[in-house]
Amino acid sequence: MSPLQTIPADHPQVTARRIGVLVANLGTPDGTDYWSMRRYLSEFLSDKRVIDLPSWKWQPILQGIILTKRPFTSGANYKTIWNNEANESPLMTITKQQVAALQARAQDLWGDRVMVDFCMRYGNPSTEVVVDRMVKAGCDKILFLPLYPQYAGATSATANDQFFRALMQQTWQPAARTTAPYFDRPDYIDALANSVERALGGATPRKLVASYHGMPKRYLTQGDPYHCQCQKTSRLLAERLGWGPEVIDTTFQSVFGREEWLQPYTVKHVAELARQGITDIAVISPAFSADCIETLEEIQGEIREAFVHAGGKNFTYIPCLNAEPDHINVLTTIIQENLGGWI
């Protein structure tokens, strides 16, 4: 007789046990309208991991000047890339594709014993909602996988924070694991190199600009390893491609506020390359697991325009790894490794 058959009739229903794999990304507004953008930006920019100013100082500025104007400009930018057919952002579309591929791999490997789902740190579906869904589906163990190759407090750490806050809401709290950053894994570097070779047809560009999301320089001095991990990713990519270190330049984009951020800034650097006579460049974004507003609008809009305006001619953007099979292979292997002892 199984244990479930011995449960008294008045006992709460017990669901068959499963393992959950929860994939997390940054997030996306629900729409491009003012209020959707305002809700999203308010949640994002209120995160102390993102903006670490005291609330008494920051919130009046955020809720006043910034959130009065910025939803209009951000909404206009999102409209240029919005997936109108699905009525969602490209990040949402691509994340769904990634998770569908991972669900298929999990089904092949483990059948119904593993449940794969996704959440967003900001916006929907929220971490709390998806964790609750997994627990109700019988997940007594959850592996949490933030889709950030390089660790940063403002990305990986805040995603983990939100995951653990969600666990605090559960009466029967599942066992939990989080994955390590994968910025230097050989299979990840291979996947990046393959994407470069596909985009460039095997040719070596005069310059490949590896543009990573920026962060205040102060965070580096406080011990955040992000800058070092970005530099290592670029170095390993150059070595894997058989290029000298001078071919790849590591830069940082999406600067916000007045304080100094990690440099060089991508938008200024590409313009300087053009002024130096380097008029043919390629740009890749190794910190992003999926194309999003920062790559589809910022890189292919503002950054491309800065390069062309300064005299540049040929600007090639290399897409993120998205749902490419070799990217799914990397993520599947990470999941397999981290489920060791659980399945």
Side-chain angles (χ1 to χ4, degrees):
M1 180 177 293
S2 72
L4 291 179
Q5 290 175 305
T6 65
I7 294 176
D10 61 347
H11 192 282
Q13 183 177 357
V14 178
T15 307
R17 299 294 87 194
R18 305 172 73 187
I19 295 171
V21 175
L22 181 52
V23 174
N25 213 323
L26 180 76
T28 170
D30 294 325
T32 61
D33 60 282
Y34 174 84
W35 289 109
S36 293
M37 292 303 311
R38 184 177 177 116
R39 284 192 299 271
Y40 173 73
L41 291 171
S42 180
E43 183 181 8
F44 174 44
L45 296 175
S46 293
D47 186 348
K48 286 295 185 69
R49 291 275 196 179
V50 176
I51 306 291
D52 62 353
L53 295 174
S55 295
W56 66 265
K57 184 177 183 179
W58 172 240
Q59 281 299 320
I61 299 172
L62 174 62
Q63 301 300 328
I65 298 171
I66 294 176
L67 292 182
T68 297
K69 297 180 179 180
R70 187 157 179 171
F72 290 110
T73 56
S74 294
N77 290 338
Y78 267 98
K79 284 180 182 179
T80 66
I81 65 166
W82 200 252
N83 181 347
N84 292 310
E85 183 177 349
N87 192 27
E88 61 190 19
S89 73
L91 177 65
M92 180 66 76
T93 301
I94 294 167
T95 301
K96 288 178 179 178
Q97 293 169 349
Q98 292 170 328
V99 171
L102 291 172
Q103 289 170 339
R105 297 287 184 90
Q107 182 67 34
D108 290 342
L109 289 167
W110 305 297
D112 293 333
R113 290 183 294 168
V114 173
M115 173 184 180
V116 181
D117 209 336
F118 77 97
C119 65
M120 297 295 184
R121 172 60 183 89
Y122 314 106
N124 297 305
S126 71
T127 308
E128 183 177 355
V129 165
V130 182
V131 166
D132 188 62
R133 181 161 68 227
M134 286 185 142
V135 171
K136 288 177 178 175
C139 295
D140 60 356
K141 301 179 180 68
I142 298 178
L143 173 65
F144 188 67
L145 170 55
L147 287 177
Y148 306 112
Q150 298 82 18
Y151 174 95
T155 55
S156 311
T158 189
N160 289 336
D161 291 345
Q162 196 73 352
F163 174 54
F164 291 119
R165 279 192 285 265
L167 293 178
M168 291 170 64
Q169 306 303 314
Q170 295 301 320
T171 302
W172 184 355
Q173 191 178 66
R177 291 177 179 173
T178 62
T179 60
Y182 52 97
F183 65 98
D184 58 352
R185 288 180 60 101
D187 51 0
Y188 165 67
I189 299 299
D190 280 343
L192 284 179
N194 291 340
S195 72
V196 173
E197 290 170 341
R198 283 195 300 269
L200 302 181
T204 302
R206 180 84 179 274
K207 279 291 183 184
L208 174 65
V209 177
S211 180
Y212 297 83
H213 197 287
M215 64 183 287
K217 186 177 180 180
R218 172 169 50 87
Y219 292 7
L220 169 62
T221 62
Q222 292 171 349
D224 195 300
Y226 178 71
H227 178 266
C228 300
Q229 293 184 2
C230 293
Q231 295 286 354
K232 188 171 183 180
T233 295
S234 295
R235 175 174 62 79
L236 293 175
L237 178 58
E239 291 174 359
R240 162 61 177 78
L241 289 165
W243 298 348
E246 73 283 352
V247 177
I248 297 184
D249 290 350
T250 297
T251 65
F252 300 91
Q253 64 182 88
S254 308
V255 176
F256 178 80
R258 295 181 179 179
E259 72 175 300
E260 181 182 1
W261 282 42
L262 297 176
Q263 295 194 37
Y265 301 143
T266 305
V267 67
K268 293 182 179 180
H269 187 73
V270 298
E272 181 58 29
L273 289 177
R275 285 191 288 267
Q276 292 173 4
I278 301 175
T279 59
D280 189 345
I281 67 171
V283 179
I284 190 172
S285 301
F288 298 96
S289 61
D291 278 305
C292 53
I293 189 73
E294 288 85 357
T295 65
L296 298 175
E297 193 281 327
E298 185 179 0
I299 289 181
Q300 298 198 71
E302 177 189 0
I303 292 170
R304 180 193 294 268
E305 289 170 7
F307 177 70
V308 173
H309 182 73
K313 296 180 180 177
N314 298 313
F315 183 103
T316 301
Y317 172 66
I318 300 171
C320 293
L321 295 179
N322 296 325
E324 290 290 337
D326 50 3
H327 190 205
I328 301 303
N329 290 341
V330 174
L331 299 177
T332 301
T333 303
I334 290 172
I335 291 169
Q336 287 178 293
E337 293 171 355
N338 282 273
L339 291 185
W342 277 4
I343 196 167

